[in-house]
Amino acid sequence: MTLEGKSLIGQQAVAGNSSAIHAVNPATGEQLDPAYAGGSAAEVDKAAQLAWDAFDAYRETSLEDRAVFLETVASEIEAIGDDLIQRAVAETGLPQARIEGERGRTCGQLRLFAKVVRAGEWLDVRVDPAMPDRQPMPRADLRQRHIALGPVAVFGASNFPLAFSVAGGDTASALAAGCPVIVKAHSAHPGTSELVGRAVQKAVAKCGLPEGVFSVLFGSGREVGAGLVADQRIKAVGFTGSRSGGTALMKIAQQRKEPIPVYAEMSSINPVFPLPAALKARGEAMAEGFVASLNMGAGQFCTNPGLVIAEKGEALDAFVAKAGEVLKGSASQTMLTPGIFDAYQQGVGRLSSHDKVREVARGQVGETPNQCQSGLFVTAAADFLADEALQEEVFGSTSLVIECADAAEVKQVAEHLEGQLTVTLQMDDADLDAARALLPTLERKAGRVLVNGWPTGVEVCHAMVHGGPYPATSDSRTTSVGSAAIFRFLRPVCYQAMPEGLLPEALKESNPLGLKRLDDGQRES
Ligand code: NAP
């Protein structure tokens, strides 16, 4: 498929007038064609108007039609074939198998949301029938359903060029909720974004939906991205990226005449707590699992285990020695962009030049551009507690081990942590009491608490929570992965004393959609 280098606004391909963006192959430094003409206020305005025009019709599409649309998007992405895989590999430096897996996850996600839409439970229908004879006051008939928030701006993530980009989790959940989507494509993979954008465009046309249901804009975050978030027709934002980017967008959203929710996933260092009995019994095997998780995808995962917190002693020494030995042999890997590589080098530099931090090991040095050399460092709990900067995310394969004097200090460090996407307990039966003592703190700190696994590898399912207190995300009440992500883009509306003929299908007394409802407080079976 020939790439045109234009924004896709509704069914049109539009060239912007701002500075052009070129993808760079991070493995070679080679610039990739075509140039992507950057959008500006004019493109934001056009896409926002189309999205607004499409909103009322799209949010009232039938459950079946919307589900078929999501499935058609998945089929159209698969139909691109090898062109998509090759372009994504060239733009990200990620291995082909990873990109193929990500395509599977992306299409699986879309199909999962199709099932969720069909089931209709997200409408959360509640009916409180009228009680005309109630004393001292009668009760009117009250009915509630959820409706879509409105057009959503989605920022594609650099580290998931498919699964969290143009047709990724944020887009799938917003479309499932009935929201038109305008994507601000990530500048690191514009060709991948165009290919996927065209697939969604085709699905919109095939399904006979209003064209404004979907647009994808190229351009700078500060111009196109900020412009979208400030636009009064945009009603919510999905973002994955840096803390500075996420907080800048939160600020814009809060300063609008009508503030809107920003669901930003920003930074997390995903602490792992090896508890004493487990550390003693299987510290070396644990070290191997830990390094494998740390090195996955050059550590460019939001769930990368960037912190290990444990009681000091022989068992922790053995764990650190083994992890260092394994890590020393680990091959370097290409990072996603020169900018992310530079940020990684600076982060590692901050640790290696810190006078209270000791370097345990570094991985193999790479010979091609933008190579991530893994790193393992150690510091004492007191020094970690004294320096907030040691909690800063180093995005890549580097982790810091915190040596604690005893269980009380482990808990003190846990209490000191910022919000996280995940926390992990490595534990055996003999650690149950220690785990029980830590658990209330861990629940307050993270969206997902794991036992005897590793945080990388996020299942897309119904029970998943990929979220957590700030700065892991901007809103700890939700998840960006899994079917519950749809609730970010919905709000409840109550219909009081509305005649049957005016009620939406989901709320009609005759229940034509066959939905399970909460009827006068009783869940229908
Ligand atoms: P980023 O710099 O935050 O960029 C993400 C998106 O937001 C891009 O489209 C960018 O636009 C836009 N943006 C950034 N700052 C903005 C601002 N002030 N106003 C409006 N839009 C803005 O993230 P990145 O490029 O993916 O990676 C940079 C760093 O983010 C990494 O080194 C890492 O530390 C962190 N990161 C974290 C995660 C995670 O999951 N925790 C994932 C990815 C990255 P442009 O196209 O203009 O750049």
Side-chain angles (χ1 to χ4, degrees):
M1 192 183 289
T2 310
L3 296 173
E4 288 187 20
K6 293 178 184 163
S7 290
L8 305 174
I9 303 182
Q11 290 296 310
Q12 309 296 313
V14 178
N17 292 318
S18 291
S19 321
I21 292 155
H22 263 106
V24 171
N25 182 333
T28 60
E30 174 205 5
Q31 189 169 283
L32 302 170
D33 284 333
Y36 279 78
S40 60
E43 284 71 38
V44 169
D45 179 60
K46 191 162 185 214
Q49 189 56 44
L50 280 182
W52 187 250
D53 292 344
F55 176 45
D56 277 340
Y58 181 60
R59 73 183 172 86
E60 291 301 344
T61 44
S62 72
L63 301 184
E64 182 59 22
D65 286 354
R66 208 182 304 166
V68 167
F69 169 51
L70 293 168
E71 288 163 348
T72 308
V73 173
S75 304
E76 289 296 333
I77 291 172
E78 285 162 349
I80 308 168
D82 210 37
D83 283 358
L84 179 62
I85 303 298
Q86 297 315 325
R87 182 72 191 194
V89 167
E91 289 186 330
T92 62
L94 293 170
Q96 178 161 336
R98 153 74 196 274
I99 296 289
E100 285 170 350
E102 219 186 295
R103 177 177 59 184
R105 176 179 164 171
T106 307
C107 296
Q109 239 161 215
L110 287 156
R111 292 185 173 116
L112 174 78
F113 277 108
K115 279 194 192 136
V116 168
V117 168
R118 273 197 188 94
E121 284 183 18
W122 55 274
L123 287 157
D124 192 16
V125 172
R126 293 155 185 250
V127 178
D128 291 329
M131 298 167 79
D133 301 326
R134 192 181 67 172
Q135 293 300 329
M137 295 272 286
R139 181 174 81 182
D141 180 277
L142 295 152
R143 289 162 194 256
Q144 186 197 107
R145 69 164 179 164
H146 277 68
I147 68 162
L149 284 183
V152 174
V154 168
F155 286 72
S158 58
N159 59 342
F160 280 95
L162 297 173
F164 258 81
S165 209
V166 172
D170 285 339
T171 298
S173 51
L175 290 174
C179 300
V181 167
I182 304 175
V183 178
K184 163 21 193 131
H186 198 287
S187 307
H189 52 257
T192 307
S193 300
E194 182 184 341
L195 289 170
V196 176
R198 285 185 181 278
V200 186
Q201 228 184 12
K202 270 193 200 162
V204 170
K206 269 194 180 172
C207 295
L209 294 172
E211 60 170 332
V213 164
F214 177 80
S215 293
V216 51
L217 303 181
F218 297 97
S220 93
R222 280 168 185 76
E223 191 167 9
V224 169
L228 278 172
V229 177
D231 192 289
Q232 295 303 317
R233 292 160 291 194
I234 297 294
K235 301 298 180 191
V237 179
F239 169 91
T240 302
S242 65
R243 195 190 299 196
S244 62
T247 50
L249 299 179
M250 286 163 67
K251 206 166 161 193
I252 295 170
Q254 279 306 308
Q255 286 170 347
R256 289 167 41 131
K257 188 169 157 212
E258 178 199 359
I260 52 168
V262 174
Y263 300 107
E265 190 207 309
M266 296 171 287
S267 64
S268 179
I269 49 176
N270 307 296
V272 177
F273 292 84
L275 297 183
L279 199 55
K280 191 167 172 198
R282 53 187 174 85
E284 293 209 348
M286 205 189 283
E288 290 184 19
F290 161 68
V291 175
S293 176
L294 181 68
N295 279 338
M296 198 181 281
Q300 301 166 115
F301 287 118
C302 38
T303 50
N304 188 52
L307 212 56
V308 178
I309 302 163
E311 287 179 50
K312 68 181 173 194
E314 276 176 26
L316 181 59
D317 292 346
F319 168 87
V320 168
K322 181 68 182 180
E325 182 191 314
V326 180
L327 187 132
K328 251 184 215 160
S330 54
S332 66
Q333 297 174 71
T334 309
M335 298 198 85
L336 290 159
T337 68
I340 286 176
F341 171 70
D342 287 346
Y344 177 71
Q345 293 291 81
Q346 283 170 27
V348 174
R350 279 198 307 275
L351 290 175
S352 54
S353 61
H354 197 293
D355 61 355
K356 301 291 186 192
V357 173
R358 174 172 63 84
E359 181 179 303
V360 176
R362 298 296 310 272
Q364 302 284 302
V365 180
E367 285 170 8
T368 49
N370 305 310
Q371 292 291 299
C372 175
Q373 185 194 3
S374 309
L376 185 65
F377 297 84
V378 176
T379 193
D383 296 319
F384 181 75
L385 292 168
D387 187 351
E388 291 291 336
L390 288 176
Q391 285 205 50
E392 277 174 28
E393 180 184 48
V394 179
F395 193 65
S397 306
T398 278
S399 194
L400 179 63
V401 179
I402 315 294
E403 294 177 329
C404 301
D406 51 23
E409 198 167 42
V410 169
K411 186 155 170 105
Q412 194 185 354
V413 171
E415 284 292 346
H416 178 72
L417 292 172
E418 295 185 316
Q420 305 290 336
L421 293 170
T422 72
V423 290
T424 300
L425 288 167
Q426 285 288 336
M427 59 178 285
D428 285 353
D429 287 349
D431 293 312
L432 259 179
D433 287 344
R436 201 170 280 121
L438 268 178
L439 194 54
T441 307
L442 305 186
E443 287 169 334
R444 270 191 280 107
K445 295 289 175 182
R448 178 161 59 111
V449 183
L450 305 76
V451 172
N452 292 341
W454 300 103
T456 42
V458 182
E459 186 73 25
V460 182
C461 59
H462 303 288
M464 177 50 65
V465 176
H466 191 66
Y470 184 88
T473 76
S474 55
D475 190 335
S476 64
R477 294 167 295 180
T478 62
T479 174
S480 60
V481 175
S483 60
I486 192 173
F487 293 110
R488 296 175 301 168
F489 303 116
L490 293 167
R491 68 180 178 85
V493 176
C494 176
Y495 301 76
Q496 184 165 334
M498 192 163 281
E500 177 86 352
L502 194 55
L503 279 169
E505 293 276 283
L507 297 183
K508 284 192 192 299
E509 189 56 23
S510 54
N511 195 6
L513 303 182
L515 298 169
K516 286 185 187 141
R517 324 194 287 193
L518 188 69
D519 198 346
D520 211 6
Q522 301 294 313
R523 179 66 58 197
E524 288 175 351
S525 53

